[in-house]
Amino acid sequence: MTIDASQIIDRLIDEEQARFKVTHSRSAAAWARGRKSFLYGGPSHWMRRWAGGFPIYVDKARGCHVTDIDGRTYIDFCLGDTGGMCGHAPEAVTQAATRQLQRGTTHMMPTEDSLWVGEELQRRFGLPYWTLTTSATDANRGAIRIARMITGREKVLVFSGCYHGGVEEAHVELRDGRMGLRNMIHPNGFDHARLCKVVEFNDVAALEAALADGDVACVLMEPLITNFGMIPVAEGFHEAVRTATRRTGTLLIIDETHTISCGPGGYTGEHGLKPDIFVTGKAIAGGIPAGVFGLSQETAERLWKLIPHVNPRERQSSHFGIGGTLAGNALTIAAMRAVLEEVLTPENYTRMHACAERLARGAEEIIVGHNLPWHVTRIGGRVEIMFSPHPPQNAADVRATRRGDLETLLHACYMNEGILVTPFHTMFLMCPATADADVDRHTQVFSRFVDKLAAAEAV
């Protein structure tokens, strides 16, 4: 891009952010107040990432619509970066949570609902033994700990560009062929060089070379990369990963915290993958913090040899570094049952996927019609618009072609026009309440954005 073009985009960003500030005066005042008491302005430092220059402050949300404290409404394709994939305030979850709030939220004892949830997790995801946590990060930590326990190995292999929550082992990426920390993460005493390996996604040769030493406890992977711009999986890659991990005695952990949008059983269920440990979270309890991980029969039996079931005659801790007093609490269980039984149903997935296809098709028609070097990727109920001509094969491809300035401009324009997308990149998620009219509204706004950009560059 020429300097002049960059200056044009910077000017347009300034205009959109100035417009946002004028039309969101109450949110602007709230943000100024929040910065006096929160470390980075809001309850979570992630909340500062919105392209308007500050976040909207939410008054209420229902389905796929959000209303802020300035009285403005939005179509929400961010959905809490997947945490709200069930839609905001789904009736079944609201009713189940309200009932359980009146009966007690946490006891460190199971309820009868937990029996149904455990059996449904078995049926839906195909692994026999499950544990609940308070987040997918905790689920991944537990899965890694188990892998290290039963293999006697230390190293964890991840793919560059991945996202697995706050797991230290996943805070690495490749830059110019060398491992380093990603996303401005600073060292905190964790020995990444000793405990981690990282290779590019879709690179079978690099994966096999990294596993050849027999020192990797587990491969922790998403079925496709969703956090660095969506990176589709190459044909045959999953089969190669499963073959290589079995050959080297390495456990395979599949994290479907995002790709649960692919279907009732996630990408794993849709494509018949066979992980040793399966992880998901965020959407699984309708936005109430929760994560789960399931173990295969063989993996569970290997763990039981090390950590047998507790002898009830002995007062001892069975902690083994996993869990917490709030894990599997009654409120989470009640919400999870409502989600699995009434919200994330095959029928709702069909509607979500149809809306995603409609959004992708509308965006593609605009891109092709204007002969733009951009592309659209759809996986299940999730869509990504990327400012590069072809879907990336790995994180290096994303890094080489990413247009952060255009992403910021598009996101700021969206917010001014009543559209919310994941603020970290241009990813859209459907929920059961998303309708054709919501998708068509996006198509209109995206078309106006393209026209506005073309007009500015023509001057």
Side-chain angles (χ1 to χ4, degrees):
M1 177 185 294
T2 66
I3 294 176
D4 287 344
S6 295
Q7 290 174 341
I8 290 169
I9 293 173
D10 287 344
R11 174 177 60 79
L12 291 175
I13 291 172
D14 290 342
E15 290 175 359
E16 291 292 343
Q17 290 183 339
R19 175 186 169 199
F20 185 80
K21 187 174 183 179
V22 169
T23 56
H24 295 78
S25 58
R26 292 190 65 186
S27 283
W31 183 244
R33 179 180 172 186
R35 293 179 68 181
K36 296 177 181 179
S37 56
F38 290 112
L39 184 61
Y40 284 102
S44 164
H45 74 89
W46 289 10
M47 293 178 180
R48 75 188 196 276
R49 297 285 300 276
W50 293 90
F54 54 89
I56 65 167
Y57 276 68
V58 176
D59 176 38
K60 59 185 177 181
R62 190 168 188 85
C64 70
H65 296 106
V66 172
T67 303
D68 69 15
I69 62 174
D70 287 285
R72 300 176 67 89
T73 60
Y74 307 82
I75 301 167
D76 189 2
F77 294 107
C78 173
L79 296 169
D81 194 19
T82 305
M85 192 181 83
C86 292
H88 301 296
E91 191 64 28
V93 176
T94 300
Q95 291 182 2
T98 299
R99 285 194 302 269
Q100 194 58 54
L101 282 166
Q102 296 169 339
R103 299 168 66 86
T105 59
T106 186
H107 326 102
M108 211 175 71
M109 291 179 284
T111 61
E112 285 188 309
D113 276 345
S114 69
L115 300 173
W116 188 95
V117 166
E119 290 162 359
E120 174 62 12
L121 292 173
Q122 285 181 327
R123 185 197 68 80
R124 183 176 285 235
F125 299 115
L127 287 89
Y129 297 107
W130 291 84
T131 292
L132 271 66
T133 62
T134 52
S135 69
T137 290
D138 284 340
N140 280 320
R141 287 186 183 127
I144 289 170
R145 179 173 286 272
I146 288 171
R148 285 174 168 150
M149 289 167 64
I150 66 179
T151 64
R153 304 172 181 177
E154 288 188 324
K155 291 185 182 292
V156 173
L157 185 145
V158 297
F159 293 98
S160 191
C162 70
Y163 174 73
H164 299 291
V167 175
E168 283 288 350
E169 291 84 349
H171 285 169
V172 292
E173 66 178 1
L174 286 177
R175 282 187 178 270
D176 299 321
R178 301 184 64 179
M179 182 172 71
L181 296 182
R182 63 178 175 85
N183 289 4
M184 297 182 290
I185 293 172
H186 286 225
N188 72 341
F190 188 90
D191 192 347
H192 292 91
R194 180 170 66 89
L195 298 173
C196 303
K197 290 187 177 183
V198 57
V199 300
E200 293 287 7
F201 195 62
N202 288 321
D203 191 335
V204 174
L207 172 69
E208 291 180 339
L211 297 182
D213 292 335
D215 58 354
V216 176
C218 61
V219 169
L220 173 60
M221 70 178 296
E222 302 168 273
L224 56 115
I225 302 290
T226 63
N227 195 62
F228 201 59
M230 282 170 58
I231 304 175
V233 63
E235 185 176 353
F237 185 64
H238 280 299
E239 292 82 356
V241 172
R242 184 67 279 192
T243 298
T245 51
R246 283 179 172 147
R247 185 177 64 249
T248 57
T250 306
L251 293 191
L252 175 58
I253 305 171
I254 294 183
D255 177 0
E256 294 232 29
T257 301
H258 283 169
T259 54
I260 191 69
S261 60
C262 289
Y267 189 101
T268 292
E270 293 295 307
H271 296 272
L273 307 186
K274 300 294 182 183
D276 299 300
I277 305 178
F278 177 98
V279 171
T280 193
K282 287 193 180 183
I284 198 74
I288 292 175
V292 300
F293 66 90
L295 275 61
S296 68
Q297 184 73 37
E298 179 185 359
T299 305
E301 289 177 358
R302 292 176 69 181
L303 177 63
W304 291 334
K305 288 180 181 178
L306 294 174
I307 308 290
H309 291 291
V310 173
N311 183 344
R313 291 181 176 273
E314 298 178 11
R315 296 300 90 204
Q316 64 183 31
S317 171
S318 58
H319 191 287
F320 59 93
I322 297 170
T325 54
L326 290 174
N329 68 77
L331 178 62
T332 297
I333 285 287
M336 195 176 296
R337 176 169 184 170
V339 166
L340 296 174
E341 193 169 24
E342 301 184 59
V343 183
L344 294 184
T345 62
E347 295 77 15
N348 278 338
Y349 271 105
T350 296
R351 284 193 288 272
M352 291 159 64
H353 292 185
C355 281
E357 175 60 25
R358 187 182 184 96
L359 190 147
R361 187 170 59 250
E364 285 171 346
E365 289 174 356
I366 293 167
I367 290 169
V368 171
H370 287 77
N371 196 30
L372 293 167
W374 306 346
H375 76 271
V376 180
T377 294
R378 181 182 80 84
I379 303 291
R382 195 179 295 273
V383 179
E384 176 101 24
I385 297 174
M386 295 184 75
F387 298 115
S388 60
H390 306 292
Q393 287 288 302
N394 52 43
D397 285 352
V398 176
R399 193 175 293 111
T401 60
R402 191 161 198 176
R403 294 284 303 278
D405 56 348
L406 271 179
E407 289 180 15
T408 299
L409 175 59
L410 178 58
H411 290 198
C413 178
Y414 276 161
M415 293 181 76
N416 280 324
E417 296 296 330
I419 301 285
L420 300 177
V421 299
T422 305
F424 316 121
H425 48 104
T426 309
M427 188 165 66
F428 305 77
L429 180 63
M430 310 300 130
C431 74
T434 306
D436 287 352
D438 302 312
V439 171
D440 293 345
R441 170 65 179 164
H442 167 263
T443 302
Q444 295 165 6
V445 170
F446 184 61
S447 180
R448 288 206 299 271
F449 166 80
V450 169
D451 290 341
K452 181 176 185 178
L453 184 62
E457 291 180 339
V459 174

